Every structure is written in structure tokens, then in C-alpha cells.
């Protein structure tokens, strides 16, 4: 968990992998539905462009479906989900039906001023989805993906005014989820200082996961 631009996607991709655990990013699932031109994608686009949250029932259906993927049999890292207390309750129900539970809740913390810089410089490969940052993690050739040679693009919701709305939505809707996980009998929250180089953040997350017995 963490605010927009905290590095959730960057770190989730590093933690997930074949034979390990899968990554379930609700943002990526919604963008894939848009790229396919499905009805769900069209509905979601209006919310996403405005920086608002997509309705909880839509999101929970997407996650329910994603949990059935064979590569998720060994576990999953959720990225950008749950974002409301209702989604967190819904996730508990989905996991309980499967005899599973949350192992650890990682919260990546980054100051808002840094977030704005990160999102304005973010670029993504149209073809394979690999992520870059113009300053912090640039591609070798400008505008081109190192991994597959695809064109890089900027997400429409990374415009400054939409970023401000996404941050406000995070404060109002998503921060309460962290308190909900901290409640008596909940899984608790593991805070991670995300205002450090990408490799250092990854090492710290892995170290904390190992300490809780959740690491590989
Ligand atoms: P989503 O796609 O989930 O976006 P987000 O939460 O706003 O998060 P981001 O993807 O912007 O940031 P991130 O934390 O993953 O950072 P990243 O690793 O990319 O959601 C988009 C929209 O979809 C929402 O607004 C909503 O409308 C809808 N939606 C999605 N899920 C939903 C849900 N559950 N419920 C309802 N609606 C939902 O990194 C950012 C940049 O910084 C990159 O360029 C990266 O290279 C760079 N970077 C990363 N780490 C570092 C570092 N340590 N140092 C320097 N640079 C770094």
C-alpha cells in the first residue's frame, strides 16, 4: 500500500515472479480493460481520468477473477488494492472462501513533494508495461523501452491537477484502510521508508518480509 507514485508497482513487480507469487495490480487490470475496449474499461476510464476511485463492487469482481489465475496459486502481492475499508473487508471474504489470509501489509511512505516529481517523470512502455522515470530510472534510449524497444508513454492521470486529486482521494479513502489493518486482531502494518533508491527500498521490503516469515 502507499500513495500514488510511492513505488507500489515498481516493488510489486520485483517481488512477484514465476514460481514465486503473482502480482495483482487493480490499476493495471483496469488499464488492460481499457486497452481491450471492454464495457468495464469504458466505465472505469471516466473515474480514472478524474483521479477518482472505481466502484468497490467492480474492483472486488476483478480481484476475485485474478485470484483464480494459475500463477496466483502460490500467493499474491496486491498492488494498489485494497483502497477503501469496504474493499479490505471484501478481500478478507475472498481469501476466507479460499482458506487463505493476508500475510503482511506493507505501507510504502513517501513525502508528497517527492510524489509529484515521480509521477511527472514516469514513463511506461506501451508494449510490455515496463516502467521508467526520466530522472531516477531512465531508459538507455530516449522514448524507447530497454526491454522490448516499444514506445514509452505518459499516463493521462499523471497530469499535475489529477495527481492532486489522487492524493486527496488517498488521504480520504485509503489511509483509513491502514488504521483498519492496525486494529486489534488485524495483520498490522509494516511501514517502509520509500524515499530512497529503488534497490534499497526492495532490500528493505525483503528484509522485513523475511523477518515476518513471509519472505520466500
Ligand atoms: P493505480 O494504477 O493503482 O495508481 P496509483 O495507486 O495512483 O499508483 P501509481 O501506479 O501512480 O504509483 P505506484 O505507487 O505504483 O508507483 P510506481 O511504482 O509506478 O491506480 C490508477 C487509478 O485506477 C486510480 O486513480 C483509480 O481511479 C483506479 N483504481 C486502481 N485501483 C483501484 C482500486 N483498488 N479501487 C478503486 N479504484 C482503483 O512509481 C512511480 C514512478 O516513480 C515511476 O516512474 C518509478 O520509476 C519511480 N520510482 C519508483 N520508486 C522510486 C524510488 N524509490 N525512487 C525514485 N523513483 C522511483
Amino acid at each position: 500500500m502507499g500513495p500514488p507514485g510511492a513505488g507500489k508497482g515498481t516493488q510489486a513487480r520485483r517481488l512477484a515472479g514465476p514460481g514465486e507469487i503473482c502480482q495483482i495490480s487493480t490499476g493495471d487490470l483496469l488499464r488492460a480493460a481499457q486497452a481491450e475496449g471492454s464495457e468495464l474499461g469504458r466505465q472505469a476510464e471516466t473515474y480514472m481520468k478524474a483521479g477518482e476511485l472505481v466502484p468497490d463492487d467492480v474492483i472486488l469482481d476483478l480481484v476475485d477473477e485474478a485470484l483464480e489465475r494459475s500463477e496466483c496459486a502460490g500467493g499474491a502481492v496486491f498492488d494498489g488494492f485494497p483502497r477503501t475499508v469496504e474493499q479490505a473487508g471484501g478481500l478478507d471474504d475472498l481469501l476466507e472462501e479460499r482458506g487463505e489470509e493476508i500475510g503482511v501489509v506493507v505501507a510504502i511512505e513517501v513525502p508528497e513533494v517527492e510524489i509529484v516529481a515521480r509521477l511527472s517523470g514516469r514513463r511506461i512502455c506501451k508494449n510490455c508495461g515496463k516502467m521508467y522515470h526520466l530522472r531516477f530510472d531512465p531508459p538507455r534510449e530516449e522514448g524507447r523501452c530497454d526491454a522490448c524497444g516499444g514506445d514509452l508513454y505518459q499516463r493521462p492521470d499523471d497530469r499535475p491537477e489529477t495527481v492532486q486529486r489522487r492524493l486527496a482521494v488517498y488521504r480520504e479513502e485509503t489511509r483509513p484502510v491502514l488504521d483498519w489493518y492496525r486494529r486489534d486482531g488485524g495483520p498490522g502494518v509494516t511501514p517502509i521508508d520509500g524515499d530512497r533508491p529503488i534497490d534499497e527500498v526492495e532490500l528493505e521490503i525483503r528484509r522485513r518480509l523475511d523477518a515476518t516469515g513471509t519472505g520466500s
Side-chain angles (χ1 to χ4, degrees):
M1 297 194 55
K8 303 181 295 293
T10 302
Q11 297 300 333
R13 266 185 208 104
R14 287 173 171 229
L15 295 177
E20 294 177 81
I21 52 174
C22 75
Q23 176 198 10
I24 298 182
S25 158
T26 43
D28 286 351
L29 292 173
L30 293 168
R31 280 183 287 277
Q34 278 175 41
E36 280 166 18
S38 70
E39 180 53 28
L40 165 71
R42 273 192 294 276
Q43 281 171 14
E45 192 172 4
T46 319
Y47 295 98
M48 294 171 80
K49 268 196 175 151
E52 303 294 339
L53 294 183
V54 174
D56 292 333
D57 54 339
V58 174
I59 297 292
L60 286 165
D61 283 350
L62 273 178
V63 172
D64 194 10
E65 207 178 294
L67 282 169
E68 292 303 312
R69 293 189 330 228
S70 57
E71 74 263 29
C72 295
V77 53
F78 297 102
D79 156 19
F81 170 85
R83 266 174 144 95
T84 64
V85 172
E86 288 70 23
Q87 289 181 20
L91 174 61
D92 277 355
D93 294 341
L94 292 178
L95 294 178
E96 200 181 321
E97 282 165 19
R98 292 166 168 87
E100 305 283 353
E101 59 182 16
I102 290 173
V104 61
V105 178
V106 172
I108 306 179
E109 297 172 345
V110 177
E112 286 197 3
V113 48
E114 169 71 12
I115 283 171
V116 174
R118 283 190 190 179
L119 294 182
S120 61
R122 171 165 55 187
R123 296 294 181 272
I124 302 164
C125 175
K126 266 188 190 156
N127 186 42
C128 72
K130 188 169 163 45
M131 200 145 39
Y132 297 89
H133 191 281
L134 295 182
R135 200 149 44 100
F136 308 129
D137 188 15
R140 284 193 293 271
E141 187 188 338
E142 198 184 323
R144 206 150 291 291
C145 177
D146 294 349
C148 74
D151 289 337
L152 303 187
Y153 80 105
Q154 182 173 31
R155 262 170 52 176
D157 60 346
D158 280 349
R159 291 194 321 259
E161 58 282 15
T162 316
V163 168
Q164 290 306 328
R165 181 61 199 148
R166 286 162 63 199
L167 285 168
V169 169
Y170 175 77
R171 286 191 291 266
E172 289 157 20
E173 304 271 351
T174 307
R175 254 196 212 142
V177 180
L178 294 173
D179 292 332
W180 192 78
Y181 280 134
R182 286 188 193 104
R183 75 192 186 282
D184 279 350
V189 172
T190 301
I192 298 285
D193 175 6
D195 193 12
R196 291 182 288 175
I198 295 173
D199 288 344
E200 281 185 29
V201 177
E202 180 187 356
L203 275 177
E204 178 66 11
I205 294 176
R206 289 191 181 276
R207 197 178 65 74
R208 301 291 288 271
L209 292 181
D210 285 342
T212 61
T214 321
S216 46

